Amino acid sequence: MIRIYNLSGIVVAALFFGCANVPAPIEGHFNKGVEHYDGQQYAKAIEEYKLALRNNPNDTFSMYNLAVVYQDQSKPDQAENLYQDILKITEDTFSRINLAGIYYNKGNPDEAFKQLETAANKNPDSAHPLSILGEFKEREGKLAEAEQKYIKALSIDNQHALTHYRLGRLHLKREKFATGIDHLKQSIDLEAENPAYMETLGAEYERSGDYLEAINYFERVSVLQPDRLEIYIKLGDMYKKKKMFREALSRYWSALSLKDDDTYVHRSVLDIYKILSDQEIEQLKTLEGQSSFAR
């Protein structure tokens, strides 16, 4: 779903599917609604958007943001009506995208596809509708069709990070590993702070047994999302497989700082201490043998 926020006179659409900028309306109830929405005061936000619409029934900005609030509150019917009202006034790509999401979640993929095709045809310079259409096709198991939509989206905008990610993920699913990795790397180059991209690429390297490359990407994920227990455990496990025991201990201790009663992590820490202890005993025996030989 695509959301619009007002920031210092600029309206920024923060999308699940990407992002875009659109002009801001005049100051008033709309911006108050945005402030309430940002503060998660949804009832007050709804009231302000309704007041804005009372002053101007054709205020598509307020209609759009009111629809988004309804979607967030799991009221798809109200949101659907508002998006349709917007489309009666003006052709709006993001309204069609959100409307397609409602239809898809209601179990009507054909209508969702239709809305996205219309959005793509009416806004041929945007990669968003085609990329999302590919995502929905992929969810339906229509992988070849999904791939074509992603490729077409990238022909419009080769810098669309989310489409590179989706195409890379799809190629991995279809066992096109080299091109899959290439597209995932491009998505990370374009959007370096997105942990989902790094996690997917790290998981592929882990699957293929390239633990050092996997560790590189999961370490970056741990920096961006330091509260994820499972990432620290995964890092500990991979370091352990590479016999990098002190690094493994560091990651396991990070995991225990988040959940100090995790039995798997405690057992892993004990295993490593035993390994290190055995190594130290062997080293002492070797040194003792060398000393006796010298005497």
Side-chain angles (χ1 to χ4, degrees), residues 229 233 252-263 265-266:
L229 173 72
I233 294 175
Y252 286 139
W253 282 116
S254 295
L256 289 173
S257 71
L258 295 176
K259 185 181 179 186
D260 62 6
D261 61 347
D262 191 292
T263 56
V265 178
H266 277 290

Side-chain angles (χ1 to χ4, degrees), residues 64-107:
Y64 183 91
N65 273 23
L66 180 56
V68 168
V69 179
Y70 282 139
Q71 272 188 278
D72 282 350
Q73 291 190 317
S74 300
K75 297 178 179 178
D77 292 338
Q78 292 94 319
E80 179 182 339
N81 291 335
L82 285 164
Y83 290 133
Q84 289 174 340
D85 288 343
I86 292 169
L87 292 170
K88 290 174 184 176
I89 298 170
T90 184
E91 179 56 40
D92 180 62
T93 299
F94 297 147
S95 292
R96 284 202 186 276
I97 288 172
N98 284 1
L99 189 58
I102 290 173
Y103 287 136
Y104 189 84
N105 290 333
K106 284 184 173 183

Side-chain angles (χ1 to χ4, degrees), residues 55 74 132 141 240 266:
N55 292 336
S74 300
I132 299 161
K240 186 178 176 182
H266 277 290

Side-chain angles (χ1 to χ4, degrees), residues 15-56:
L15 337 175
F16 171 72
F17 303 114
C19 48
N21 295 330
V22 291
I26 59 173
E27 294 289 332
H29 293 297
F30 175 89
N31 283 343
K32 289 180 181 178
V34 171
E35 290 174 9
H36 290 313
Y37 181 87
D38 288 344
Q40 297 184 345
Q41 297 176 304
Y42 299 126
K44 290 183 178 181
I46 288 172
E47 184 59 31
E48 290 295 339
Y49 292 138
K50 285 183 175 180
L51 287 171
L53 289 170
R54 189 178 301 170
N55 292 336
N56 179 9

